[in-house]
Amino acid sequence: MIPLYYNVRSLAARRLSTGLTVLGLSLVVFVFAAVLMLSNGIESALSAGGSRQNVVLLREGALTEIGSVVPREAVAVVGNWPQVASSPEGTALAAGELLVIVALPRDGDTFANISARGVTEPSWEARPAARITEGRRPRPGSFEIALGSSLIGAGGGAEVGGELEFAGQRWPVVGRLSAGGGAFESEIWADRNRLGQAFNRPGLTSAIVRLTSPDAFPELKRRIEGDRRFELKAMREDEYWEEQASATATFIRVLGLFVAFVFSIGAVLGAMITMFAQVSARIRELGVMRAIGFSRGTVLAGVVIESALLGAVGGLLGSLGATAMRFVKIETLNFATFSQISFGFAPTPGILLAALLFGLGMGVSGGILPALKAARLGILDAVRA
Amino acid sequence: MSEAAQVSVAPIVRLRDVSKAYFRAGMRLPVLEHVDLEIAEGSFIAFMGPSGSGKSTLLNLISGLDRPTEGVVEVAGRDLGRLSDGELAEWRAANVGFIFQLYNLIPVLTAAENVELPLLLAPLNRAERRRHVAAALDLVGLSPRVHHRPTQLSGGEQQRVAIARAIVTDPRLIIADEPTGDLDRKGAEQVLDMLQELHRALRRTIVMVTHDPHAAERADLVRHLEKGRLL
Amino acid sequence: MTLGQLAFKDLLRNPTRLLLTVLATGIGVLAFVFLQTVISVFYSGLAVTQPDRLAVRSKISITQPLPLSYKRRIESVPGVTRITYAGWFGGRMSETREDFFPNFYVDKATYLKVYDEYVAPADQLAAWMADPCGAMAGKSLAERFDWQIGDRVTLKNAVYPGEWTFTVRGIYAGRTPQIDTTLFAFGYRCINERLPEELRDYVGIYTIVVDDPARSAQVAAQIDAMFANSAYPTRTESERSFQMSFIAMSSAILTAVRIVAYGVLLILLLVVGNTLAMNVREKTVDLATLRALGFRRRHVAALVLVESLVIGLAGAAVGLLLAPPVLSGFVRVVSESFGPIGTVVITGPTYALALGASVGVALLAGLLPALRAARLQVAEGLRRIA
Ligand SMILES: Nc1ncnc2c1ncn2[C@@H]1O[C@H](COP(=O)(O)OP(=O)(O)O)[C@@H](O)[C@H]1O
Ligand SMILES: [Mg+2]
């Protein structure tokens, strides 16, 4: 076997070429890793909001809360079922909610579409993950609101102690809502009845129900979906939020991976150019090696290893770069709900490993043709060159 | 055509107190020291000397490829030190033909195209260029190989293409740096015959560097260089 | 031979490398065109906006409706010549995303008078007008589900309870290729009559045409002032800024796509730059020889730049030839698993931009190597034994 330092040195001897190629490969790996981290970020941002012990009730056929109507009687009926947990005070943790979209002015002439959730007391009890980290909960029956933490600081009174204006009302901000990075952090929580009044929407869009245990779900689902009066469907809350994320996340993943794939062809060609140059610059050397007895296989492996080395370094740099994107926050429209969500790049060990392998794979594929060329050289061809 | 050459008595090359040094890592490395030299028009001069004695450097100064650190280089009536880079290139194209040890032919061009190269800079049309190229290749006896690429020619043949390229513009001065250094006996003889022929029949001025005494014998004047000094 | 021919012969020193570089450039151009087209899909709504059209919607929220009674009052504002309304119905054939398509109710009597970019045969138009529950389907939508005139389409909807059956009465096309032909539109009367009391007589959005676009800000202000203190305040803006507000919501994604598109160009720069730098290095002796023969600095620099120009042009040709089939393949794959994504066409400006970018990047990549070739010290270059 040809020692590795031989490859390292010959790459170092052509610093410019090597550097440009590694940079190209690392950019491709960067895009690849960043895309995966981003779609993972969206999914974890949205799904972090959901608890496995909670159930979201929607109208049969609705995919989102916005496009759903839930009758009040249904919430009252479900509240009496044994699968539903109660608060220490004994109230059933089943709450009808109203989700509306609010147009809030952003800088300049634009505005953001923000989800505003009309809640009641059990909405809070049912979601222990949704906590007030600054200020206090809005008082029931008032126009006070809690603002999701990713909306805080968005300007125009979006801070604890400030005041927002929408739907012809002033809404004092009394609390900051945190939910472990979940979708609720991009929402406004207000009193359900007040919100309904302001939007002329007396009805409910959905209901949240806390189960006594996650295992109670199938039974509750069977009962509610079998009830002829309501035409409702039940979804686990975590699955509901994953579903909400899937369109945007899939969009980014499909687009990004396609682009990364196309890029990778370009980068493989780039690596190939460099490795062909390496081989022809070293024809003599390779010939001497063959003459002293190294086999064709060894020469072939030597070139592939050298190219793999380029890919590995590219993979490492690219995934490091993508990991640094962890500090970037992104806001965008969620296609499913038409409202703004905020998320980041979420690296996982799996993604990093995939990125490294991707880089390595590009390096190896770029090296194969040049390696075959090198291996096919006759000893005499090479020595004569 | 070589009217000037016949009447002129003034030297075509005149070096006055020329020195050339390289500066590396703050050190002055002298390569040529206080060289005074005159070469009469129409002569065939050979420079000999051990490797590293500054022969190529001297040729580069004479042919306007490089500039001296000190001193004046006058060639064909021009003080090369006063010419800008562009003027120098133009001057070379008109006055100097080059022959290199390793022929320096462009590998992707045919023999004819290689010979045609320097004519691209002259105000000639296609037909005139073709005529000049044919004449030059004929002179070196390579007419049948016009469409061959350098890799399809032997070393001697390549050097003859290079000679055709050097004379195709009809320059006053031909510079040859070890023209036979890479050739076998037969190839070398052919090339030297040709240079001698150019000198005798056409009265070209030829300045040649060599370390082969056989080659030097063909010149009518031999000068020796050692450690940057002209002996 | 001429100087130009010299440059072209010079290209053939390393055909494999040239081919690989052109291919890589072509792939990069392909990716660039693809991303630019994705961006232009987001902006395609803008391409069909008209300066004399204004959108009137709820100030509170895009999901909040406006009373039908506003129609008369808006109509009476001076400067308003035509008005129509429409709304998002959001019905689905099944619960999967795959067979989703955008569907709207419209005011049949006035809709096509305002939106004259949709065209349909006169007899289909008459049949559509005559049947409140008759629907007009876009050409690509009809092709997707293989709908014929007279077919029935049943949609379910959570907000408007029950099943809604529409009959396809017409298939429309667009006046230009950018027009969205994936829409499905039926009469407002068809659903309004069946709605419960509290949902009846509300519509999503009004579109008006003004006689003088220069006065549209004034008209908009007047309309908004009229409803400012009602329970349903309005927000009136040009069709263009209405569309822009949707695009602005996706601005983060668009920015990311743009960054990636320029990332492609950066990778191209590296690949082409690498090739040109290697070429210059490998032919240093030849360049020095040319210089010795009397070629000027600008000649040898031009040799390098011609090479980059050829790579840029050939790469653009490869990429632009590949783009249409790859893009339509991508659209097919995506719409099969994802639902339709509007009408995707590569626009003239995208082609021009890609060509410019390819040539520009290649020339930029050639700049340093060309400079290196021009700066070459002849004596030094000749010493470098090949
Ligand atoms: N660019 C340079 N930098 C430093 N030293 C140089 C350079 N070019 C030539 N030399 C040195 O100058 C001396 C003369 O070189 P050269 O004229 O090529 O010798 P010759 O042709 O007689 O063998 C040598 O010692 C060489 O190493
Ligand atoms: Mg020498």
Side-chain angles (χ1 to χ4, degrees):
Chain A
M1 205 63 204
I2 304 165
L4 203 59
Y5 66 76
Y6 172 82
N7 297 111
V8 175
R9 278 194 203 155
S10 68
L11 286 174
R14 314 191 115 213
R15 233 161 290 136
L16 181 68
S17 256
T18 303
L20 290 174
T21 310
V22 166
L23 209 57
L25 288 167
S26 60
L27 273 173
V28 175
V29 174
F30 173 82
V31 170
F32 175 82
V35 161
L36 290 180
M37 289 177 190
L38 197 58
S39 46
N40 182 40
I42 295 174
E43 276 170 343
S44 62
L46 284 177
S47 60
S51 155
R52 190 138 188 91
Q53 205 177 333
N54 287 355
V55 180
V56 175
L57 299 184
L58 294 178
R59 177 173 201 109
E60 172 77 63
L63 292 176
T64 68
E65 291 175 83
I66 290 294
S68 163
V69 178
V70 170
R72 281 169 192 275
E73 312 87 77
V75 182
V77 168
V78 172
N80 290 326
W81 290 352
Q83 291 84 13
V84 178
S86 344
S87 71
E89 295 82 45
T91 40
L93 294 184
E97 296 184 343
L98 169 68
L99 195 79
V100 295
I101 303 294
V102 179
L104 282 185
R106 222 163 38 174
D107 40 69
D109 209 27
T110 67
F111 52 89
N113 287 307
I114 306 295
S115 297
R117 182 177 298 276
V119 297
T120 57
E121 227 22 46
S123 301
W124 294 93
E125 308 290 331
R127 297 190 183 91
R131 288 174 306 115
I132 293 292
T133 49
E134 187 187 342
R136 56 175 175 80
R137 276 192 199 172
R139 268 175 298 142
S142 75
F143 283 101
E144 293 171 351
I145 55 174
L147 209 52
S149 56
S150 66
L151 299 175
I152 297 271
E159 60 205 348
V160 177
E163 193 176 70
L164 296 182
E165 198 179 331
F166 54 84
Q169 285 292 343
R170 291 166 179 282
W171 308 78
V173 182
V174 299
R176 176 196 188 110
L177 176 64
S178 296
F184 300 130
E185 291 190 356
S186 303
E187 289 185 352
I188 295 170
W189 281 20
D191 180 80
R192 182 185 74 203
N193 295 331
R194 291 298 182 196
L195 197 67
Q197 272 168 18
F199 279 80
N200 298 304
R201 295 276 293 272
L204 305 175
T205 52
S206 55
I208 184 81
V209 176
R210 188 158 185 83
L211 299 171
T212 48
S213 104
D215 304 332
F217 176 71
E219 178 57 20
L220 184 109
K221 181 179 168 71
R222 196 188 53 73
R223 268 185 91 169
I224 190 74
E225 290 181 358
D227 195 318
R228 294 262 145 177
R229 285 170 296 174
F230 304 130
E231 291 187 51
L232 291 181
K233 68 170 180 184
M235 291 175 81
R236 285 192 193 270
E237 197 189 21
D238 54 348
E239 285 165 6
Y240 170 75
W241 284 112
E242 260 161 40
E243 172 89 24
Q244 297 303 298
S246 74
T248 306
T250 312
F251 173 80
I252 288 179
R253 198 177 290 145
V254 168
L255 182 67
L257 290 185
F258 179 75
V259 166
F261 168 70
V262 172
F263 273 26
S264 69
I265 299 175
V268 166
L269 290 172
M272 226 185 266
I273 292 169
T274 298
M275 290 315 297
F276 267 125
Q278 288 279 38
V279 168
S280 50
R282 293 211 315 263
I283 285 184
R284 250 173 241 265
E285 245 169 88
L286 292 170
V288 171
M289 286 168 64
R290 293 271 284 111
I292 33 182
F294 285 100
S295 70
R296 280 180 200 277
T298 315
V299 167
L300 185 120
V303 175
V304 172
I305 285 173
E306 190 166 320
S307 187
L309 214 57
L310 289 176
V313 176
L316 201 65
L317 291 179
S319 32
L320 279 181
T323 311
M325 293 295 286
R326 213 154 38 104
F327 303 105
V328 177
K329 265 239 170 284
I330 288 191
E331 257 182 29
T332 195
L333 181 73
N334 181 9
F335 295 150
T337 58
F338 251 91
S339 62
Q340 211 83 18
I341 49 170
S342 147
F343 52 87
F345 295 80
T348 64
I351 291 176
L352 292 179
L353 188 68
L356 285 175
L357 289 177
F358 184 58
L360 203 64
M362 285 195 291
V364 169
S365 358
I368 287 174
L369 284 181
L372 284 175
K373 180 186 166 184
R376 235 183 269 131
L377 282 172
I379 297 178
L380 290 179
D381 287 339
V383 177
R384 219 185 289 129
Chain B
M1 135 175 128
S2 40
E3 232 171 296
Q6 275 149 9
V7 218
S8 159
V9 276
I12 184 170
V13 175
R14 181 189 280 154
L15 269 62
R16 275 182 304 206
D17 198 21
V18 166
S19 296
K20 173 80 185 177
Y22 289 103
F23 296 88
R24 284 287 141 94
M27 293 249 298
R28 186 175 190 275
L29 306 168
V31 177
L32 286 177
E33 290 190 279
H34 308 294
V35 172
D36 284 292
L37 171 71
E38 289 194 354
I39 300 172
E41 176 124 40
S43 50
F44 183 173
I45 183 170
F47 289 98
M48 295 191 71
S51 179
S53 56
K55 306 181 297 288
S56 294
T57 307
L58 181 64
L59 279 196
N60 289 344
L61 293 179
I62 294 174
S63 56
L65 293 179
D66 207 351
R67 294 172 187 275
T69 320
E70 282 157 52
V72 178
V73 178
E74 274 177 22
V75 185
R78 304 293 291 269
D79 178 351
L80 299 188
R82 290 176 188 278
L83 298 183
S84 73
D85 231 74
E87 290 166 337
L88 208 51
E90 216 167 297
W91 175 86
R92 280 197 304 270
N95 294 287
V96 188
F98 287 94
I99 303 167
F100 303 97
Q101 177 177 357
L102 295 171
Y103 338 121
N104 289 24
L105 299 177
I106 309 295
V108 287
L109 302 182
T110 62
E113 288 164 343
N114 265 292
V115 175
E116 193 184 357
L117 269 180
L119 295 178
L120 296 180
L121 300 164
L124 298 175
N125 64 34
R126 191 180 286 262
E128 288 167 322
R129 288 203 303 265
R130 201 170 300 153
R131 220 172 38 243
H132 282 83
V133 169
L137 279 168
D138 191 38
L139 209 65
V140 297
L142 278 178
S143 296
R145 314 295 301 269
V146 283
H147 296 305
H148 288 199
R149 302 233 172 148
T151 46
Q152 297 165 314
L153 300 173
S154 74
E157 287 164 340
Q158 289 190 54
Q159 195 60 302
R160 278 148 66 195
V161 174
I163 292 173
R165 181 178 67 184
I167 60 173
V168 74
T169 54
D170 197 15
R172 291 175 67 181
L173 187 64
I174 290 170
I175 298 284
D177 194 346
E178 312 219 19
T180 58
D182 221 45
L183 298 178
D184 57 17
R185 183 100 235 134
K186 187 168 153 264
E189 292 301 330
Q190 262 180 342
V191 164
L192 290 167
D193 287 347
M194 232 159 252
L195 288 177
Q196 215 162 12
E197 179 67 13
L198 283 174
H199 167 238
R200 292 225 179 102
L202 301 172
R203 308 300 308 157
R204 302 290 84 170
T205 309
I206 300 177
V207 182
M208 178 174 77
V209 157
T210 183
H211 52 227
D212 174 10
H214 283 292
E217 266 169 27
R218 304 290 194 106
D220 41 39
L221 186 63
V222 179
R223 301 289 304 265
H224 288 269
L225 263 169
E226 203 152 319
K227 293 188 180 157
R229 287 179 186 278
L230 206 51
L231 303 180
Chain C
M1 193 174 62
T2 61
L3 280 172
Q5 284 167 332
L6 170 63
F8 278 100
K9 303 210 165 177
D10 198 46
L11 285 171
L12 297 176
R13 280 168 188 272
N14 196 332
T16 315
R17 183 182 299 164
L18 182 69
L19 182 74
L20 292 174
T21 311
V22 167
L23 278 182
T25 308
I27 297 288
V29 169
L30 170 68
F32 185 77
V33 168
F34 176 79
L35 292 171
Q36 287 295 332
T37 302
V38 168
I39 293 174
S40 73
V41 167
F42 275 87
Y43 282 93
S44 60
L46 282 190
V48 299
T49 58
Q50 289 180 9
D52 61 350
R53 285 206 298 237
L54 307 186
V56 185
R57 57 154 149 178
S58 165
K59 188 186 175 192
I60 298 170
S61 152
I62 42 169
T63 55
Q64 200 71 358
L66 293 173
L68 185 58
S69 60
Y70 279 15
K71 180 167 183 257
R72 262 173 219 294
R73 298 180 61 190
I74 296 171
E75 236 169 352
S76 69
V77 172
V80 176
T81 57
R82 265 168 285 166
I83 182 165
T84 192
Y85 56 82
W88 178 251
F89 184 69
R92 293 175 175 279
M93 293 202 290
S94 74
E95 263 203 51
T96 58
R97 285 184 202 282
E98 284 72 53
D99 61 9
F100 173 77
F101 56 88
N103 47 85
F104 301 87
Y105 56 80
V106 301
D107 182 32
K108 284 189 173 174
T110 55
Y111 197 74
L112 292 175
K113 293 198 176 92
V114 171
Y115 289 97
D116 54 5
E117 59 263 40
Y118 304 116
V119 289
D123 55 328
Q124 295 182 10
L125 211 57
W128 179 63
M129 294 282 225
D131 174 7
C133 290
M136 186 69 86
K139 200 163 156 292
S140 39
L141 178 66
E143 277 165 14
R144 180 170 157 218
F145 291 109
D146 196 22
W147 285 336
Q148 310 296 331
I149 304 287
D151 281 2
R152 289 165 157 266
V153 177
T154 298
L155 300 180
K156 281 173 82 170
N157 182 314
V159 182
Y160 305 107
E163 289 201 339
W164 302 82
T165 300
F166 306 99
T167 311
V168 177
R169 295 291 180 200
I171 292 172
Y172 75 85
R175 233 178 251 296
T176 64
Q178 280 106 327
I179 306 292
D180 190 352
T181 55
T182 65
L183 309 179
F184 187 82
F186 44 83
Y188 180 61
R189 251 183 49 211
C190 175
I191 56 167
N192 197 32
E193 284 165 359
R194 268 179 60 188
L195 288 178
E197 190 76 39
E198 73 272 12
L199 288 176
R200 212 175 289 166
D201 289 337
Y202 284 95
V203 300
I205 179 177
Y206 289 96
T207 306
I208 57 174
V209 177
V210 294
D211 53 2
D212 177 8
R215 288 204 324 130
S216 53
Q218 235 170 300
V219 174
Q222 203 174 339
I223 293 170
D224 290 347
M226 197 155 67
F227 304 115
N229 296 318
S230 73
Y232 296 93
T234 58
R235 180 185 171 107
T236 306
E237 58 195 342
S238 72
E239 195 178 22
R240 187 181 171 81
S241 59
F242 177 64
Q243 293 287 352
M244 276 304 283
S245 67
F246 283 94
I247 298 168
M249 290 187 278
S250 312
S251 64
I253 287 186
L254 284 174
T255 307
V257 174
R258 269 200 195 97
I259 291 173
V260 173
Y262 289 100
V264 180
L265 298 186
L266 191 62
I267 294 177
L268 269 193
L269 194 69
L270 297 174
V271 171
V272 178
N274 185 17
T275 290
L276 294 171
M278 287 196 295
N279 284 352
V280 166
R281 192 166 75 168
E282 286 167 15
K283 63 185 182 199
T284 299
V285 177
D286 290 352
L287 293 176
T289 304
L290 287 176
R291 294 270 288 122
L293 297 182
F295 284 83
R296 309 284 283 267
R297 292 185 189 283
R298 58 165 189 273
H299 290 131
V300 291
L303 281 186
V304 178
L305 290 178
V306 164
E307 192 164 14
S308 39
L309 188 68
V310 167
I311 290 173
L313 286 173
V318 170
L320 295 180
L321 280 178
L322 286 179
V326 169
L327 197 70
S328 62
F330 179 80
V331 168
R332 205 172 39 244
V333 169
V334 169
S335 40
E336 268 164 20
S337 61
F338 215 136
I341 46 175
T343 312
V344 182
V345 280
I346 305 176
T347 60
T350 300
Y351 277 119
L353 187 66
L355 178 66
S358 171
V359 171
V361 163
L363 285 179
L364 196 65
L367 219 53
L368 275 180
L371 214 61
R372 210 160 81 177
R375 291 249 177 89
L376 186 68
Q377 293 296 315
V378 185
E380 192 109 353
L382 287 173
R383 295 180 70 85
R384 191 102 57 93
I385 301 305

